[in-house]
Amino acid sequence: MKLAFVGKGGSGKTTMASLFARRAAALGHPVMAVDADINQHLAAALGLDAEAAAMGPVLGEHLADIKDYLRGANPLVPSAELMLKTTPPGPGSRLLTVRESNPLLDRLFTEHDGIRFAATGGFVDDDLGVACYHSKVGAVELLLNHLVDGPEEFVVVDMVAGAEAFASGMFTRFDHTFLVCEPTLRSVGVYKQYLGYAEDYDVRISVIGNKTDDEDDVAFLREHVGDALLGWCSRSKYVKAAERGSVGPVADLEPANLAVVDAARERAVAGGKDWAKFTRQAHEFHRKAALAWGNDKAGVDLADQIVPDYVLGEHLLGAPVH
């Protein structure tokens, strides 16, 4: 299951993404976690050494390598230069799985407590004023487009804060989106923005309330998000300790808060996967990117890279996926 964690900056989306990933891994599920936020804090929230993680490889600096690996022997993508972040897989493409070992994943992902972690990388001095952050998260979009995951496997992506996630088609790459929402007008405003942008694309959104203090906070969330409210987490001594550098076993999270994390996992699994929709939307956004700028840059019609009957979930290294 491909899962996005989104919300207003400071809402606790990174904390919730880390709790989800750590809980799923502790229960024995295969888990990938990717930090796709411009503010890179997921590594520390997962319990990795933040300085060591910052010195490791980052996806945004290896986009060319990712393209070259994923295109494989696909005759419709004869070079990495003709591959956009939206390029869908086709016959001959290299597909990925959550648990496999291959030169690309082994180089770019770090193993920690049963979680395979990678980060896009934040801005560096050379990027300031000349680079768009979406060029970095394009690496994540390519990986998601080529990743065959199962219903009991979890790919957890901590997305950029606010409504910036809709600046590309990556918001359609997820089986479920969890929006972390504080009981404030600004936070529910982000939810309403998401809902407006997503309604035409059949995006599954569940709201997780966070930093609630009392029933008034819960009532506020219910009033503004209605049935989308999956549950709510109260202010947490466990989380405060983790933010101070003491990351304890996830089972030590307050029982009521842990129950919300478990409910999120159950909601994601219950929703299932729709590979036909995933493929259809991948093709739609690749056509848009090709028309908007890709064709002019490449000098060819990149929409010709689309193989209409190639549905990702039906292929894995040439064999059906069950």
Side-chain angles (χ1 to χ4, degrees):
M1 308 299 293
K2 298 180 177 77
L3 309 174
F5 282 79
V6 300
K8 181 182 74 66
S11 64
K13 67 177 181 61
T14 299
T15 296
M16 203 62 62
S18 69
L19 291 173
F20 186 105
R22 293 176 60 223
R23 177 64 166 171
L27 293 174
H29 296 279
V31 178
M32 276 183 168
V34 179
D35 193 342
D37 194 356
I38 191 171
N39 298 306
Q40 304 267 283
H41 299 306
L42 184 59
L46 291 170
L48 284 86
D49 181 273
E51 291 187 7
M55 295 299 292
V58 291
L59 301 176
E61 294 178 2
H62 293 273
L63 182 58
D65 297 331
I66 292 169
K67 289 180 176 182
D68 202 47
Y69 183 86
L70 294 178
R71 70 182 182 86
N74 185 343
L76 301 177
V77 190
S79 71
E81 289 73 24
L82 294 178
M83 197 170 192
L84 307 182
K85 65 181 182 179
T86 55
T87 299
S93 298
R94 287 194 179 102
L95 305 181
L96 307 172
T97 65
V98 174
R99 288 178 279 191
E100 75 175 270
S101 173
N102 66 51
L104 184 72
L105 297 183
D106 293 348
R107 179 183 181 187
L108 299 179
F109 282 74
T110 300
E111 297 275 349
H112 178 76
D113 286 348
I115 298 171
R116 303 184 83 175
F117 169 78
T120 56
F123 273 129
V124 296
D125 289 345
D126 290 345
D127 295 325
L128 298 177
V130 297
C132 171
Y133 190 65
H134 302 294
S135 64
K136 294 180 180 290
V137 298
V140 182
E141 189 168 350
L142 269 172
L143 292 174
L144 294 175
N145 274 339
H146 291 75
L147 180 64
V148 182
D149 52 297
E152 295 289 341
E153 300 175 328
F154 299 104
V155 182
V156 177
V157 181
D158 181 23
M159 294 286 283
V160 64
E164 281 294 306
F166 285 91
S168 76
M170 197 165 85
F171 72 94
T172 66
R173 303 299 78 207
F174 301 103
D175 300 298
H176 210 101
T177 294
F178 293 101
L179 190 143
V180 182
C181 189
E182 299 167 278
T184 68
L185 286 174
R186 286 183 62 194
S187 201
V188 298
V190 171
Y191 162 71
K192 291 175 181 178
Q193 278 185 297
Y194 263 80
L195 199 62
Y197 293 145
E199 61 183 357
D200 292 335
Y201 295 95
D202 191 24
V203 175
R204 298 169 182 160
I205 300 177
S206 294
V207 175
I208 299 176
N210 196 30
K211 303 179 185 178
T212 61
D213 291 316
D214 51 35
E215 283 300 319
D216 288 344
D217 286 343
V218 176
F220 179 89
L221 289 169
R222 283 182 171 139
E223 176 187 356
H224 287 276
V225 308
D227 293 339
L229 185 62
L230 172 67
W232 54 91
C233 292
S234 61
R235 295 186 187 273
S236 169
K237 291 183 178 180
Y238 173 92
V239 170
K240 182 181 287 187
E243 291 176 345
R244 292 174 174 173
S246 179
V247 181
V250 69
D252 291 347
L253 182 66
E254 296 86 358
N257 291 341
L258 188 62
V260 175
V261 176
D262 288 339
R265 186 181 66 259
E266 292 162 7
R267 174 70 60 86
V269 172
K273 298 189 67 67
D274 187 340
W275 286 113
K277 181 182 79 171
F278 183 91
T279 300
R280 183 176 66 253
Q281 292 178 338
H283 293 173
E284 175 182 351
F285 278 93
H286 185 56
R287 289 190 188 95
K288 287 183 176 182
L291 286 171
W293 61 274
N295 292 347
D296 288 342
K297 182 178 179 180
V300 296
D301 187 355
L302 296 178
D304 289 341
Q305 296 171 336
I306 295 171
V307 180
D309 60 353
Y310 187 96
V311 178
L312 177 61
E314 297 175 357
H315 297 84
L316 180 58
L317 305 181
V321 174
H322 300 289

